[in-house]
Amino acid sequence: TLTSSPPLPLCAMDATETTEVHLAGHFVPESDLVRVSSAEELAHGDLHNLPRTTAPMLGIAAGAVRSIASAAERRPLPGLLRAVESFTAEIDACRAECRRLIAEPVDAPGYRDDALAARTWSIELAVRAAHAAVAASSGAANNRTHPAQRRMREAMFTTVFQQTGAILEATLDRLARPSAPNR
């Protein structure tokens, strides 16, 4: 009643040996059930966990900053040094906002919007910092074993890991906002 595909060739997290699993006519006795959750219980858990599950994204951003700092040691360009300072400050600010929200009750006014904003901020921050690490590392980042390359793949993975419809919508809104050229 259970079939599994060969491992999928993923570009991120390929060590997991992820497969597609198909169930057909598979009976699970009630004694084997761990928990059955209603849609409302799942939604409440999702809301509660929005600011609590940002550590992976902030960790990716911090790792990317280390790659940028390493590049700055080899080539002390002002842009590299500014990027390290800017990303470090933003990681600290995002972490502080998430901690503030963790202390708030989920039924507080504005909690949902603020929590979604913090979650999507951490996602975007991880992606931007990883992208900056790739740029700072130049051609070396093209090597699959380079830390900046790994951070970029991790950022891609965490963008979709544990993503709900609300997080997807908020992430797309954040990423699709127009930006002006730097001057």
Side-chain angles (χ1 to χ4, degrees):
T1 62
L2 181 130
T3 58
S4 180
S5 71
L8 300 172
L10 304 178
C11 64
M13 309 305 263
D14 63 338
T16 62
E17 296 288 313
T18 300
T19 65
E20 290 180 359
V21 175
H22 300 274
L23 299 169
H26 191 80
F27 174 73
V28 178
E30 192 170 329
S31 61
D32 288 348
L33 291 177
V34 174
R35 185 169 105 191
V36 176
S37 299
S38 69
E40 292 80 22
E41 290 169 323
L42 291 172
H44 184 271
D46 288 346
L47 185 61
H48 178 74
N49 287 321
L50 282 171
R52 295 175 185 276
T53 54
T54 57
M57 285 74 90
L58 296 176
I60 290 165
V65 169
R66 288 191 298 275
S67 290
I68 299 167
S70 177
E73 288 174 8
R74 290 187 305 281
R75 295 182 305 170
L77 299 172
L80 293 172
L81 301 172
R82 280 193 309 272
V84 168
E85 290 174 10
S86 177
F87 280 120
T88 299
E90 189 174 355
I91 290 166
D92 291 344
C94 186
R95 183 178 291 115
E97 175 65 0
C98 291
R99 287 180 177 157
R100 180 189 72 77
L101 288 163
I102 288 168
E104 277 194 28
V106 296
D107 57 354
Y111 174 86
R112 182 183 184 278
D113 290 342
D114 290 349
L116 271 172
R119 176 69 171 268
T120 58
W121 180 13
S122 72
I123 291 168
E124 182 192 35
L125 177 54
V127 172
R128 282 189 297 110
H131 192 176
V134 166
S137 301
S138 300
N142 202 30
N143 186 326
R144 192 151 163 45
T145 63
H146 194 277
Q149 162 72 232
R150 190 181 94 221
R151 299 290 182 219
M152 198 73 206
R153 291 191 316 270
E154 289 171 347
M156 181 182 66
F157 175 79
T158 59
T159 297
V160 296
F161 184 68
Q162 296 181 345
Q163 189 177 84
T164 65
I167 295 169
L168 170 63
E169 289 288 327
T171 299
L172 291 174
D173 286 346
R174 184 173 182 106
L175 294 174
R177 67 177 186 252
S179 60
N182 289 339
R183 293 185 195 253

